[in-house]
Amino acid sequence: MSAAGAGATLRCLLQALPLVLPQFAPHLSASSLPPIFVLNRAIEAFASDGLIGHARDLFEQMPERNGGSWNAIISAYSRTNQPINALSFFSRMFNQGVPPKDVTLASVLGSCSEVLDLCLTRQIHTLVVKLGFCSNLIINTSLVDIYGKCDVILDAEKVFDSIPNPNAVSWNVIVRRYYELGRGDDAIKALFQMIRAGVMPLNFTLSNSLLACADAGALFEGRQIHGLVVKIGHYCDINSLVRNCILQMYAKCGALDEASKLFDRTERRDTFIWTSMLSGYVSCGRIQEAEKMFDSMPERNIVSWNAMIGGYINCSAWDKALDLFRKMEGEIGSYDIYTLGTVIKACAELLDLEKGRQVHGFAYRHNYQLDHYLCNALIGMYAKCGRLRNMEALFSRVLKKRDRVSWNSLILGYERHCRSEEALYALREMLRETSPNESTFTLGLSACANIFSLDRGKQIHAYIIRNGYKMDDIIRDALVSMYSKCRLIDYSIRVFEEMESHDVVLWNSVILGCAYNGNGKYALEVFEEMRRKEIKADNVTFIGALLACICDGFVNRGQRYFNSMSEDYGITPRMEHYECMIELYSKHGCMVELEKFVEEMPVEPTVPMWLRIFDSCREYGYPRLGKKAENFINKSNPLNPVRFDMEGMDVGPKELTGIR
Ligand SMILES: *[C@@H]1O[C@H](CO)[C@@H](O)[C@H](O)[C@H]1NC(C)=O
Ligand SMILES: *[C@@H]1O[C@H](CO)[C@@H](O)[C@H](O)[C@H]1NC(C)=O
Ligand SMILES: *[C@@H]1O[C@H](CO)[C@@H](O)[C@H](O)[C@H]1NC(C)=O
Ligand SMILES: *[C@@H]1O[C@H](CO)[C@@H](O)[C@H](O)[C@H]1NC(C)=O
Ligand SMILES: *[C@@H]1O[C@H](CO)[C@@H](O)[C@H](O)[C@H]1NC(C)=O
Ligand SMILES: *[C@@H]1O[C@H](CO)[C@@H](O)[C@H](O)[C@H]1NC(C)=O
């Protein structure tokens, strides 16, 4: 029989089979059946017609099968995206002792890649080596792919490096894996290696490495790839995906001019390219241009809406973000997890619990999977809004999905709402489950400061040092504040002096810490040092300096600082500063200056201030101002009147002022 004749016969047979076999196969004896290889082809034919049930029936009813039959059914399932079934047939095959062929293993690996079964993949890898299928490039490439997907990139690299001549697909796989693991630099490097090796990149390889450039901000390499694309695409037009990625690369790398040139030159602009341009403006913080872009888009998809909402969030325009979300509800009525997460973040910032709850309810009703991102957004929202019960409930329900972000939110929730003990307890629990970061310590230290828990503060300090965390200004600030609140000012100073810093917050903490701890001299030294270093003092710094003057009795100096604050630093004194000055004069008995100061104050002193003035006038025998204070206090506080009395006999209730 000629080859063509055989083909025709097979075709006839295959046409008849679907009709005949499923119904009559049980009655057929082995001898009256076509040969096995024909039935194997039939399985394949059923599968490629989408009749996977028929393929399976035929397979099950075959009285005899060979490796080809197994291969046919496994690849049928693998190709129709039913990896679980493919793997279960493979395990049946394996248990029956049928030796697999390399094509079978390739299909099985394809399924492993779908379900990310790393364990099985390793077993198959061993089998591949044992059976000597090492020359199969497809198998090796699949292994690279799966190892990469399962985040064991070292294994992926090992297999990739052992491939003598990787083809375009293998290169594509390694580039993509690097990119998706966030290792943009390696992805870009791999692309250039590929080109040096003389392998023509696929469009996907180009687009993935361009996206890697976008993520890594690698404008220089991105430009080179653009040049390359133009060269390769000299005779045929540039692939639209690649073109979009070039634009996205320029936009994300901040080369908006080049991006918009490319945008203008693009004839058929699809939503993707519009959105890339929009995201470019957003990521450069050019929100007005982004708005204009968004408004003029002919069509918008979820990604475009998300980009615009994200842009508002990024520049803290929470209200606008929520408005746009409402508009999105009306216009397209569908969202993804990212939209919901972003909106929940906006609600958290606005402390809009009501809206946040609505979005949570919406996600719940519409069966959105509460993935990491959404869970964390919700936990953060409940934490910020002080709904600690809801926060705890959600937190314990997502046991498997919680990570550092969730723990940090939990601790933040406790810390912000004065539940410092719980915050510290959560921090301890967190250490068992995941690793903290610098923000976690900051929260923990501030919880220690709240409850004056010096021991635990020291433990956290030790943990930070022991585990080699970076001592940034924020942590040092938290440490300085914690030690000074716990009255261990020497430690506080030591932490401060360990490293040069120009962060005014840190300087403020140490100045305030010393002032509160009665070490005014050191506080003022630090303040002068700060001036020498030209670190710009702010309103808080001056409070610290004034407190230091109060505690060490430097009245003139305090006066000078107070004047210099508005004259040299352009800081308008706030109530706190007036309070400090009143305390400074009151405490040190400078009644004439006090009277003058009160007269010249642009705002009326508050009741606590008058009370402080009243007390000092009595103490230092200064009736003129004392009577004035009495008058004011009686007027605004008729239930608690005072009477200025030089003998100190009949004085009303005293109140402490707000100043320490
Ligand atoms: C496949 O990988 C093995 C190591 O796992 C290696 O020895 C072999 O050379 C590779 N073959 C091909 C064609 O890539
Ligand atoms: C890339 O896409 C372009 C245009 O769509 C096409 O002409 C070209 O053949 C593709 N290149 C490869 C390697 O697939
Ligand atoms: C947010 O805006 C800043 C500049 O304003 C920009 O550097 C950053 O990339 C933006 N982030 C996002 C996610 O757009
Ligand atoms: C620590 O992790 C949180 C997420 O919980 C993140 O928002 C924050 O920026 C991280 N802090 C540092 C200093 O990396
Ligand atoms: C310092 O000034 C900032 C804004 O200029 C203000 O938010 C803050 O409350 C002030 N702090 C004190 C203690 O006055
Ligand atoms: C303030 O109240 C006290 C007690 O009632 C009274 O003796 C005194 O005269 C009052 N002073 C003024 C100025 O009203």
Side-chain angles (χ1 to χ4, degrees):
M1 209 190 300
S2 69
T9 315
L10 189 56
R11 259 199 306 282
C12 288
L13 203 87
L14 289 183
Q15 273 160 8
L17 268 173
L19 304 172
V20 175
L21 248 168
Q23 291 87 352
F24 299 110
H27 312 295
L28 294 173
S29 65
S31 58
S32 61
L33 269 177
I36 293 181
F37 84 88
V38 177
L39 294 178
N40 293 350
R41 293 295 89 75
I43 293 176
E44 286 163 11
F46 279 137
S48 68
D49 282 353
L51 299 169
I52 190 85
H54 286 45
R56 184 185 187 132
D57 287 345
L58 173 52
F59 177 86
E60 296 293 4
Q61 289 167 12
M62 278 167 75
E64 263 183 81
R65 307 175 188 112
N66 61 13
S69 329
W70 287 99
N71 183 54
I73 191 75
I74 290 173
S75 46
Y77 277 119
S78 165
R79 239 180 286 132
T80 49
N81 231 342
Q82 302 186 42
I84 303 279
N85 284 329
L87 293 181
S88 92
F89 270 93
F90 175 68
S91 93
R92 257 174 77 188
M93 169 187 187
F94 195 74
N95 290 337
Q96 292 185 12
V98 183
K101 286 207 279 200
D102 56 351
V103 278
T104 318
L105 291 181
S107 304
V108 173
L109 282 175
S111 299
C112 286
S113 157
E114 292 292 321
V115 296
L116 297 183
D117 190 336
L118 182 59
C119 188
L120 184 60
T121 304
R122 289 201 194 282
Q123 284 167 2
I124 292 175
H125 192 173
T126 317
L127 202 62
V128 167
V129 175
K130 210 166 85 189
L131 296 176
F133 294 143
C134 284
S135 60
N136 189 315
L137 183 58
I138 296 177
I139 289 188
N140 277 4
T141 303
S142 297
L143 286 171
V144 175
D145 191 39
I146 304 173
Y147 286 144
K149 271 192 189 157
C150 293
D151 206 359
V152 283
I153 191 75
L154 283 178
D155 292 18
E157 284 169 342
K158 222 192 290 167
V159 178
F160 185 79
D161 290 342
S162 72
I163 300 178
N165 293 307
N167 64 10
V169 177
S170 325
W171 281 108
N172 184 56
V173 163
I174 192 89
V175 167
R176 170 145 194 186
R177 288 299 138 236
Y178 277 136
Y179 163 62
E180 288 193 348
L181 286 174
R183 293 176 47 169
D185 292 347
D186 290 314
I188 301 165
K189 235 185 271 166
L191 174 78
F192 285 114
Q193 272 171 7
M194 168 181 194
I195 290 160
R196 272 198 301 278
V199 183
M200 178 75 100
L202 301 178
N203 285 321
F204 282 119
T205 322
L206 292 168
S207 62
N208 281 325
S209 25
L210 284 161
L211 292 177
C213 292
D215 282 358
L219 183 57
F220 179 77
E221 287 81 358
R223 265 206 196 102
Q224 280 182 310
I225 300 176
H226 183 185
L228 187 80
V229 169
V230 172
K231 221 158 71 186
I232 300 173
H234 195 62
Y235 291 109
C236 51
D237 64 338
I238 296 176
N239 179 284
S240 65
L241 173 67
V242 173
R243 179 197 293 275
N244 285 348
C245 291
I246 295 174
L247 187 136
Q248 201 172 336
M249 182 274 299
Y250 282 127
K252 276 227 181 130
C253 291
L256 280 184
D257 290 346
E258 278 162 275
S260 75
K261 239 185 264 161
L262 205 64
F263 180 79
D264 292 339
R265 277 211 309 267
T266 306
E267 282 154 21
R268 269 170 292 131
R269 295 180 197 146
D270 55 13
T271 311
F272 185 97
I273 206 155
W274 276 93
T275 307
S276 297
M277 200 60 223
L278 169 70
S279 309
Y281 284 123
V282 164
S283 66
C284 293
R286 285 160 64 168
I287 203 75
Q288 268 136 18
E289 276 138 306
E291 255 171 3
K292 220 188 282 161
M293 199 91 209
F294 184 77
D295 289 338
S296 52
M297 281 176 81
E299 242 179 73
R300 296 180 279 231
N301 59 18
I302 292 191
V303 184
S304 341
W305 286 91
N306 283 352
M308 196 62 229
I309 294 178
Y312 284 134
I313 299 277
N314 193 23
C315 61
S316 308
W318 316 109
D319 284 323
K320 282 192 171 172
L322 279 192
D323 283 347
L324 198 62
F325 177 64
R326 268 177 222 122
K327 230 167 120 194
M328 181 176 181
E329 277 177 314
E331 226 169 274
I332 63 172
S334 69
Y335 329 94
D336 60 10
I337 299 258
Y338 182 79
T339 328
L340 297 179
T342 315
V343 167
I344 290 170
K345 276 187 199 157
C347 296
E349 293 300 330
L350 291 170
L351 301 181
D352 187 345
L353 183 65
E354 202 40 50
K355 185 80 193 169
R357 277 223 176 110
Q358 278 172 20
V359 179
H360 188 179
F362 178 89
Y364 181 77
R365 281 195 307 278
H366 291 78
N367 278 326
Y368 278 88
Q369 284 296 321
L370 285 188
D371 71 339
H372 282 283
Y373 179 72
L374 205 51
C375 274
N376 286 337
L378 281 168
I379 292 175
M381 191 267 297
Y382 286 125
K384 286 222 171 103
C385 294
R387 286 309 162 120
L388 301 187
R389 282 270 179 74
N390 300 52
M391 170 188 87
E392 286 163 347
L394 193 62
F395 186 81
S396 54
R397 244 191 297 133
V398 295
L399 193 67
K400 291 222 186 71
K401 290 179 205 146
R402 63 202 191 190
D403 55 10
R404 175 192 298 152
V405 182
S406 350
W407 278 102
N408 278 353
S409 299
L410 185 80
I411 296 174
L412 176 120
Y414 287 134
E415 204 278 324
R416 283 266 175 92
H417 297 92
C418 301
R419 306 251 300 259
S420 305
E421 285 287 355
E422 275 116 319
L424 291 175
Y425 181 76
L427 174 57
R428 256 203 311 271
E429 293 293 301
M430 174 182 185
L431 293 183
R432 294 189 195 167
E433 209 173 283
T434 177
S435 62
N437 75 354
E438 285 79 357
S439 312
T440 324
F441 299 130
T442 311
L443 292 170
L445 288 169
S446 116
C448 293
N450 280 344
I451 54 172
F452 306 104
S453 176
L454 181 58
D455 286 346
R456 277 185 275 177
K458 277 185 178 166
Q459 279 168 14
I460 296 179
H461 190 178
Y463 186 95
I464 296 171
I465 296 176
R466 216 171 40 235
N467 293 284
Y469 281 92
K470 208 174 110 247
M471 271 283 184
D472 59 11
D473 283 341
I474 300 174
I475 291 197
R476 288 207 297 151
D477 182 50
L479 279 169
V480 165
S481 306
M482 186 274 294
Y483 281 129
S484 67
K485 277 241 179 91
C486 295
R487 307 255 159 215
L488 211 57
I489 193 67
D490 293 349
Y491 274 53
S492 181
I493 292 174
R494 207 181 309 156
V495 172
F496 171 72
E497 285 180 343
E498 261 165 20
M499 223 163 47
E500 281 273 304
S501 166
H502 285 259
D503 181 17
V504 63
V505 177
L506 181 57
W507 288 77
N508 287 350
S509 292
V510 82
I511 293 174
L512 281 170
C514 290
Y516 283 143
N517 282 282
N519 193 347
K521 271 217 184 65
Y522 188 81
L524 292 180
E525 269 174 38
V526 173
F527 182 66
E528 290 300 330
E529 175 75 14
M530 195 170 167
R531 286 188 175 201
R532 269 196 297 282
K533 290 220 160 85
E534 294 181 353
I535 298 168
K536 200 162 172 353
D538 64 8
N539 52 357
V540 180
T541 322
F542 278 99
I543 292 180
L546 292 176
L547 288 175
C549 293
I550 294 171
C551 96
D552 281 15
F554 296 132
V555 178
N556 290 339
R557 203 159 164 188
Q559 216 161 14
R560 245 189 299 126
Y561 286 158
F562 183 81
N563 293 336
S564 143
M565 179 166 88
S566 40
E567 283 162 19
D568 306 334
Y569 290 81
I571 300 172
T572 316
R574 300 166 64 100
M575 267 325 186
E576 292 88 341
H577 301 104
Y578 291 115
E579 261 175 33
C580 285
M581 288 311 287
I582 290 173
E583 176 66 18
L584 179 66
Y585 293 129
S586 299
K587 183 169 178 196
H588 301 289
C590 307
M591 304 321 285
V592 180
E593 288 85 352
L594 178 62
E595 188 170 19
K596 185 159 171 279
F597 184 81
V598 171
E599 247 162 44
E600 288 174 359
M601 260 176 75
V603 287
E604 183 67 39
T606 59
V607 176
M609 286 181 193
W610 276 121
L611 282 167
R612 181 67 185 102
I613 295 166
F614 179 82
D615 283 347
S616 70
C617 289
R618 220 184 29 162
E619 191 179 348
Y620 292 99
Y622 198 70
R624 197 169 55 211
L625 186 56
K627 282 280 175 200
K628 217 170 152 187
E630 174 190 302
N631 232 334
F632 185 86
I633 296 165
N634 277 12
K635 228 189 302 151
S636 57
N637 227 2
L639 292 181
N640 274 325
V642 294
R643 193 157 73 85
F644 191 83
D645 177 357
M646 284 300 290
E647 269 75 63
M649 297 291 290
D650 182 21
V651 289
K654 266 207 266 179
E655 271 177 40
L656 287 177
T657 65
I659 295 170
R660 261 166 277 193

